[in-house]
């Protein structure tokens, strides 16, 4: 068997800094566990626009389609705000998601015990929290047609986006969520706005169909997405797996992320259909953005990106034990009180740098 292949796209802002720490983890596996990856690196986002005039080139797309997994840092920055919509850094990420058909976006929100006091919610509300949001990623209002800004012929303009979901799109993401629920607490909550949107009515009916026909052993509930947002901040531990559409998933996953104390902690996996080798099409990325305000200062928290690589080990390469090793090391480092700036209150204790945090995780892996 050839070594598994990885395409690394560090992107913009803090992307390159946090990805450098992931490279250390990859090298550690090579030297210590005889687990080696064929790594290629390329451009996405604003840096790709600077180099090629497009947020991702056709060559990079082709590479992404050919590897076992893609690892992405972050895209975007104020410098690119003036660009035409179609050239914005975010379009590079959306093209990857769409053309690789990565329909299931897994966003775990896990509260590490050492950080429970960091949440804006009370400790007992978040301590031990472990939920998984499955966000549909390749359809809905992000991609629906018609879309655009046109004249309304009355001297004004009209902006249009379209929420559109098909039976097949809903069923496949529902199956992904039910499968995950079976491996966890066996509970799935589906969120939409069936009270006001036809696409929400269809969503509820199709999720129910999949449940009745294929997963009746899993406990299924439905919630309107606004009530779901409220319940997420009221008592998040009532949830195990949540499945929802592209836009609601974008919002709910940011809210869930903040429950855990810091956006700098949260990884994600975007998965598609299995390839010929049985591995799913896959892209892994931290949930935090490019954080241009702290880029280049060696202050960013690399943990979300390191945990995204752990998700790659688990979901692409069937290396669950190695994933456990990385996740355990992160937990150990936090328990030792090692903190990047985002994980410190105002008390003014000494934060470690991005590189020091990466080194600490690697040291903890060595001791495990
Ligand atoms: C996310 C981000 C993206 C999205 C942006 C960067 C296009 O907010 O991954 O949640 O809206 O999907
Ligand atoms: Mg988002």
């Amino acid at each position: 068997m050839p070594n598994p292949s990885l395409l690394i796209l560090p992107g913009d802002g803090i992307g390159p800094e946090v990805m450098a720490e992931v490279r250390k983890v990859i090298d550690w596996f090579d030297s210590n566990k005889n687990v080696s990856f064929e790594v290629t690196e390329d451009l996405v986002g604003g840096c790709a626009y600077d180099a090629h005039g497009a947020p991702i080139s056709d060559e990079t797309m082709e590479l992404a389609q050919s590897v076992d997994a893609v690892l992405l840092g972050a895209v975007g920055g104020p410098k690119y705000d003036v660009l035409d919509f179609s050239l914005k850094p975010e379009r590079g990420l959306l093209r990857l998601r769409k053309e690789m058909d990565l329909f299931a976006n897994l966003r775990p929100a896990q509260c590490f015990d050492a950080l429970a006091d960091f949440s804006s919610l009370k400790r007992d509300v978040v301590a031990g929290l472990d939920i998984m949001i499955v966000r549909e990623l390749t359809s809905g209002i992000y991609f629906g047609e018609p879309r655009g800004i046109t004249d309304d012929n009355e001297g004004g303009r009209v902006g249009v986006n379209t929420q559109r979901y098909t039976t097949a799109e809903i069923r496949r993401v529902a199956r992904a969520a039910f499968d995950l629920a079976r491996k966890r607490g066996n509970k799935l909550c589906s969120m939409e706005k069936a009270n006001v949107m036809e696409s929400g009515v269809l969503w509820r009916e199709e999720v129910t169909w999949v449940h009745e026909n294929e997963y009746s052993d899993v406990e299924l509930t439905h919630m309107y997405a606004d009530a779901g947002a409220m319940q997420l901040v009221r008592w998040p531990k009532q949830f195990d797996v949540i499945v929802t559409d592209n836009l609601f998933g974008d919002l709910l996953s940011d809210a869930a992320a903040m429950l855990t104390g810091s956006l700098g902690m949260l990884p994600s996996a975007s998965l598609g259909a299995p390839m010929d080798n049985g591995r799913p099409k896959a892209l892994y990325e931290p949930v935090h953005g490019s954080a241009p305000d702290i880029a280049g200062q060696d202050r960013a928290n690399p943990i979300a990106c390191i945990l995204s690589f752990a998700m790659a080990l688990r979901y692409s390469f069937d290396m669950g034990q190695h994933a456990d090793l990385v996740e355990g090391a992160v937990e150990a480092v936090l328990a030792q009180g090692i903190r990047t700036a985002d994980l410190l209150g105002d008390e003014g204790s000494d934060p470690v740098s991005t590189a020091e945090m990466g080194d600490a995780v690697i040291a903890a892996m060595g001791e495990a």
Side-chain angles (χ1 to χ4, degrees):
M1 278 275 275
N3 289 336
S5 55
L6 274 179
L7 171 62
I8 293 194
L9 302 172
D12 306 320
I14 60 171
E17 297 159 53
V18 295
M19 198 60 87
E21 302 313 304
V22 174
R23 293 297 285 255
K24 290 184 192 165
V25 175
I26 293 173
D27 290 345
W28 185 91
F29 274 104
D30 189 38
S31 324
N32 294 277
K33 295 281 171 187
N34 219 359
V35 175
S36 308
F37 294 93
E38 222 53 69
V39 180
T40 328
E41 195 168 311
D42 211 333
L43 303 177
V44 70
C47 59
Y49 173 80
D50 289 337
H52 310 297
I56 190 162
S57 70
D58 294 343
E59 291 73 31
T60 309
M61 272 311 308
E62 234 169 86
L63 256 177
Q65 295 281 16
S66 72
V67 293
D68 292 317
V70 179
L71 219 57
L72 186 141
V75 295
K79 175 178 165 196
Y80 306 104
D81 284 350
V82 295
L83 289 181
D84 186 75
F85 198 62
S86 64
L87 296 174
K88 284 198 191 295
E90 289 78 7
R91 302 308 302 176
L93 177 57
L94 293 172
R95 183 172 174 199
L96 280 164
R97 290 174 179 173
K98 186 68 181 173
E99 291 185 19
M100 292 173 74
D101 202 15
L102 305 170
F103 61 87
N105 181 217
L106 280 47
R107 297 192 164 186
Q110 217 184 330
C111 185
F112 289 89
D113 202 51
L115 298 182
D117 291 319
F118 235 83
S119 173
S120 45
L121 300 190
K122 297 190 188 84
R123 169 175 264 276
D124 68 312
V125 177
V126 295
L129 178 71
D130 178 6
I131 62 181
M132 174 75 86
I133 296 189
V134 180
R135 166 188 176 192
E136 199 291 325
L137 203 60
T138 52
S139 185
I141 204 159
Y142 270 57
F143 297 100
E145 300 281 347
R147 65 183 299 160
I149 301 178
T150 52
D151 290 332
D152 70 356
N153 297 324
E154 290 169 19
R157 294 186 301 160
V158 51
V160 175
N161 290 93
T162 302
Q163 166 84 330
R164 182 179 187 278
Y165 271 107
T166 65
T167 294
E169 287 168 345
I170 299 168
R171 288 187 185 179
R172 68 178 182 172
V173 73
R175 287 187 182 103
F178 278 118
D179 281 336
L180 276 165
R182 272 185 181 158
K183 293 187 193 136
R184 299 171 41 104
N186 215 37
K187 270 169 50 176
L188 179 64
C189 181
S190 170
M191 296 188 187
E192 28 54 19
K193 284 284 289 177
N195 49 346
V196 283
M197 297 166 74
E198 283 79 0
S199 58
V201 173
L202 186 74
W203 183 280
R204 190 176 282 222
E205 288 175 2
E206 293 301 345
V207 171
T208 302
W209 186 93
V210 173
H211 179 239
E212 282 171 0
N213 288 279
E214 300 170 18
Y215 294 89
S216 53
D217 55 303
V218 179
E219 184 190 321
L220 173 68
T221 52
H222 303 275
M223 232 180 243
Y224 297 138
D226 54 344
M230 185 265 284
Q231 292 296 341
L232 257 181
V233 293
R234 190 186 72 84
W235 189 246
K237 285 187 241 178
Q238 69 188 281
F239 297 112
D240 177 22
V241 180
I242 293 171
V243 66
T244 189
D245 77 13
N246 204 342
L247 183 60
F248 295 143
D250 185 41
L251 306 178
L252 294 170
S253 65
D254 262 24
M258 204 54 220
L259 299 178
T260 69
S262 169
L263 266 180
M265 298 294 302
L266 295 173
S268 80
S270 303
L271 306 177
M275 301 183 282
D276 289 342
N277 61 15
R279 293 179 177 134
K281 281 259 179 219
L283 178 146
Y284 299 88
E285 57 177 318
V287 170
H288 62 67
S290 57
D293 52 321
I294 59 162
Q297 299 174 18
D298 201 18
R299 286 176 60 195
N301 183 353
I303 289 179
C305 204
I306 291 173
L307 291 176
S308 297
F309 175 65
M311 287 188 91
L313 293 173
R314 190 180 305 284
Y315 293 104
S316 279
F317 304 120
D318 220 2
M319 298 180 185
Q321 281 180 341
H322 293 324
D324 289 344
L325 178 67
V326 177
E327 289 161 2
V330 166
E331 203 160 353
V333 164
L334 294 173
Q336 288 162 41
I338 299 172
R339 304 274 188 272
T340 40
D342 57 304
L343 302 178
L344 285 169
D346 304 321
E347 316 88 84
S349 11
D350 249 354
V352 299
S353 69
T354 307
E356 285 165 343
M357 180 58 100
D359 292 341
V361 172
I362 283 171
M365 283 166 58
E367 282 155 20

